[in-house]
């Protein structure tokens, strides 16, 4: 173990030492020690914690988009998230609120949920409806994070979020931190919808609302909910491709040509190649071929391949287990009872309620040193309020 006052040396990616200001003297047990960093792997603004190359860096979003097109993956996500559309969402004041505390709650309801009150009408509404923004926040389940750009405006002396612009995950190219793990901002590389012009733009942390699904330290490009599905999906993808190839070979097997002589002429060889290549390319105008006397045209016999359906069903069940939605696969497996499916559906409702709690807590308190939107709106516009309003979801029940 190094001594308490030992100097820490940092190096750049080429191995050159970085000159640092001398740290202040520290004494063991005083509670004044500070770590240089949390140890998260990040190089030139790109996180490197993921061990699979296809799920890291620029390739990550494209790989996850392919994963999300799988019917079992999409069905599991919908089973978890669609019930949130029917849940009642409100921003409530604390118990026995003071007039200012009630006003703060009404103000946040107007800005974020577009619910008017006597004091705060439509002029305070955000241009981004809650239903839309909820869908955008839920992208953190798919990609590991969701990022919004805060576009502020002053209305009647109060600061509001006129628009909370969702930034597409594939456009977030870099994440910036200082050596003390303070989040500084991001760099976006995208395309303007109107002109089609490409741009590269940095955004500072105060202008961002961040929703990482599994925040650990500064790992804001976090592990998405669907990450455990990559293995069963990859296996299923390989098996399904092999099954399609087998069906193709059985439905249109490769043709064989037996020459009429041991040493055929060049013209017969040319004709045989023409016959075989034309058949495999699906040339429909050739309904028959003329072949020399003694020559034969046949097709390779395909052996029966192993049935891939049990493997595919098994991987679909793995996807359901990982997502807590195995009840959606019960009938397809040919096993299980109605009571078992209902029990599993109850577990899924618990997962959905946990997601709702996550969204509400992010709105209330934010992540790391960044305040939640409700916290920021309240402290900026009602500085005397100590007890902040809080977002709450109504309980999502499997029977509703």
């Amino acid at each position: 173990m190094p001594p308490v006052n030992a100097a820490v040396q940092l190096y750049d990616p080429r191995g050159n030492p970085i000159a640092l200001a001398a740290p202040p003297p520290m004494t063991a047990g005083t509670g004044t020690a500070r770590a240089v960093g949390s140890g998260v792997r990040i190089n030139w603004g790109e996180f490197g914690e993921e061990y699979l190359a296809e799920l890291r860096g620029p390739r990550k979003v494209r790989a996850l988009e392919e994963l999300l097109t799988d019917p079992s993956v999409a069905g599991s996500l919908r089973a978890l998230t669609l019930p949130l559309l029917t849940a009642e969402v409100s921003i409530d004041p604390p118990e026995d609120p003071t007039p200012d505390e009630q006003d703060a709650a009404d103000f946040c309801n107007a800005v974020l949920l577009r619910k008017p009150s006597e004091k705060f009408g439509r002029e305070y509404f955000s241009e981004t409806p809650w239903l839309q923004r909820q869908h955008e926040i839920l992208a953190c389940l798919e990609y590991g994070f969701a990022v919004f750009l805060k576009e502020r405006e002053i209305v009647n002396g109060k600061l509001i979020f006129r628009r909370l612009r969702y930034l597409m995950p594939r456009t977030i190219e870099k994440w910036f931190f200082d050596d003390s793990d303070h989040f500084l901002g991001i760099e976006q590389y995208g395309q303007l919808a109107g002109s089609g012009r490409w741009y590269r733009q940095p955004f500072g942390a105060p202008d961002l609302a961040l929703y990482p699904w599994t925040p650990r330290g500064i790992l804001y490009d976090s592990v998405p909910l669907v990450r455990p599905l990559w293995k069963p999906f990859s296996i299923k993808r390989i098996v399904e491709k092999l099954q399609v190839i087998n069906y193709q070979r059985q439905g249109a097997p490769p043709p064989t040509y037996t020459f009429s002589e041991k040493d055929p002429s060049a013209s017969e060889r040319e004709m045989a190649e023409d016959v075989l290549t034309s058949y495999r390319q699906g040339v429909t105008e050739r309904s028959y071929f003329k072949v020399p006397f003694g020559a034969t045209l046949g097709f390779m016999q395909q052996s029966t391949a192993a049935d891939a359906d049990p493997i595919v069903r098994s991987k679909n069940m793995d996807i359901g287990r990982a997502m807590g939605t195995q009840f959606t696969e019960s009938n397809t497996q040919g096993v299980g009872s109605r009571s078992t499916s209902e029990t599993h559906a109850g577990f899924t409702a618990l997962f959905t309620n946990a997601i709702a709690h996550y969204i509400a807590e992010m709105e209330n308190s934010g992540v790391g040193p960044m305040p939640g939107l409700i916290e920021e709106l309240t402290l900026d516009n009602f500085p005397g309020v100590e007890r902040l309003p809080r977002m709450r979801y109504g309980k999502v029940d499997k029977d509703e």
Side-chain angles (χ1 to χ4, degrees):
M1 180 176 179
V4 174
N5 293 326
V8 177
Q9 180 63 61
L10 298 182
Y11 298 88
D12 65 19
R14 297 184 178 180
N16 301 316
I18 300 175
L20 295 176
M26 298 180 186
T27 305
T30 63
T32 58
R34 295 292 183 270
V36 173
S38 62
V40 172
R41 295 178 180 176
I42 183 168
N43 296 305
W44 305 109
E46 181 181 308
F47 288 103
E49 289 293 323
E50 172 59 57
Y51 71 92
L52 286 180
E54 59 263 45
L55 296 178
R56 189 171 62 241
R59 301 170 59 184
K60 171 186 175 180
V61 173
R62 291 303 181 192
L64 291 175
E65 286 175 347
E66 182 183 3
L67 170 68
L68 294 170
T69 62
D70 181 83
S72 292
V73 175
S76 292
L77 273 173
R78 289 168 182 164
L80 284 175
T81 59
L82 287 182
L84 295 174
L85 302 182
T86 63
E88 188 67 29
V89 182
S90 62
I91 300 174
D92 301 332
E95 292 186 5
D96 301 322
T98 65
D100 283 347
E101 290 172 343
Q102 184 64 56
D103 285 347
D106 292 342
F107 177 75
C108 291
N109 272 295
V111 175
L112 298 178
L113 302 183
R114 301 176 77 169
K115 294 181 179 180
S117 63
E118 291 184 4
K119 288 187 177 181
F120 306 105
R122 299 183 62 88
E123 66 272 19
Y124 295 93
F125 285 7
S126 168
E127 293 180 2
T128 311
W130 171 248
L131 186 63
Q132 173 186 339
R133 199 159 66 83
Q134 181 179 243
H135 274 295
E136 293 167 345
I137 293 172
L138 289 171
C140 69
L141 307 180
E142 304 168 358
Y143 302 105
F145 66 92
V147 181
F148 295 81
L149 180 64
K150 304 172 187 174
E151 298 184 8
R152 299 176 175 90
E153 187 177 313
I154 302 294
V155 177
N156 297 330
K158 294 200 177 295
L159 183 68
I160 70 167
F161 300 128
R162 179 57 72 192
R163 185 179 181 187
L164 292 163
R165 183 186 302 182
Y166 176 67
L167 304 182
M168 298 295 289
R170 58 180 165 76
T171 67
I172 311 300
E173 290 208 332
K174 293 182 180 180
W175 302 76
F176 299 118
F177 300 85
D178 65 15
D179 286 340
S180 296
D181 281 356
H182 295 130
F183 179 50
L184 302 179
I186 61 172
E187 183 176 86
Q188 185 193 32
Y189 180 63
Q191 191 174 19
L192 297 175
S195 65
R197 181 173 58 85
W198 289 89
Y199 67 92
R200 189 180 299 276
Q201 176 70 43
F203 297 107
D207 294 326
L208 301 173
L210 187 59
Y211 299 79
W213 172 242
T214 52
R216 293 185 176 94
I218 63 169
L219 188 59
Y220 294 153
D221 183 3
S222 65
V223 180
L225 180 68
V226 299
R227 173 60 181 87
L229 312 185
W230 184 255
K231 181 178 179 180
F233 165 74
S234 299
I235 295 174
K236 190 172 70 166
R237 178 176 53 178
I238 294 172
V239 171
E240 287 176 339
K241 286 182 179 179
L242 293 175
Q243 190 175 39
V244 170
I245 292 173
N246 182 59
Y247 286 155
Q248 182 185 33
R249 287 178 175 174
Q250 289 183 358
T256 61
Y257 190 99
T258 304
F259 292 106
S260 59
E261 300 176 358
K262 183 177 181 180
D263 188 17
S265 63
S267 61
E268 186 176 358
R269 285 181 179 276
E270 183 179 352
M271 182 196 67
E273 291 178 1
D274 185 41
V275 168
L276 298 179
T277 55
S278 297
Y279 174 81
R280 296 302 293 170
Q281 293 173 358
V283 179
T284 57
E285 61 267 21
R286 296 201 177 186
S287 57
Y288 64 92
F289 300 97
K290 293 181 179 180
V291 298
F293 178 77
T296 58
L297 176 65
F299 299 93
M300 294 179 63
Q301 298 298 316
Q302 297 296 311
S303 60
T304 303
D307 185 10
D309 288 344
I311 300 177
V312 172
R313 287 196 296 267
S314 172
K315 298 302 111 182
N316 286 339
M317 198 59 160
D318 289 344
I319 289 172
R321 290 192 190 98
M323 297 288 283
T325 59
Q326 58 264 48
F327 79 96
T328 61
E329 298 292 336
S330 296
N331 293 333
T332 63
Q333 303 299 313
V335 295
S337 62
R338 177 178 177 180
S339 60
T340 301
S341 295
E342 290 180 349
T343 301
H344 289 164
F347 288 142
T348 302
L350 292 176
F351 284 27
T352 301
N353 280 302
I355 294 172
H357 179 74
Y358 160 83
I359 294 175
E361 283 304 307
M362 286 293 175
E363 291 289 286
N364 293 329
S365 305
V367 59
M370 292 176 287
L373 297 183
I374 294 174
E375 183 180 6
E376 182 175 345
L377 286 173
T378 303
L379 296 180
D380 284 347
N381 295 287
F382 302 90
V385 170
E386 295 291 337
R387 300 186 300 168
L388 306 184
R390 297 184 65 81
M391 175 178 283
R392 289 184 174 86
Y393 268 81
K395 185 176 181 182
V396 179
D397 191 86
K398 68 180 180 64
D399 297 324
E400 293 181 354

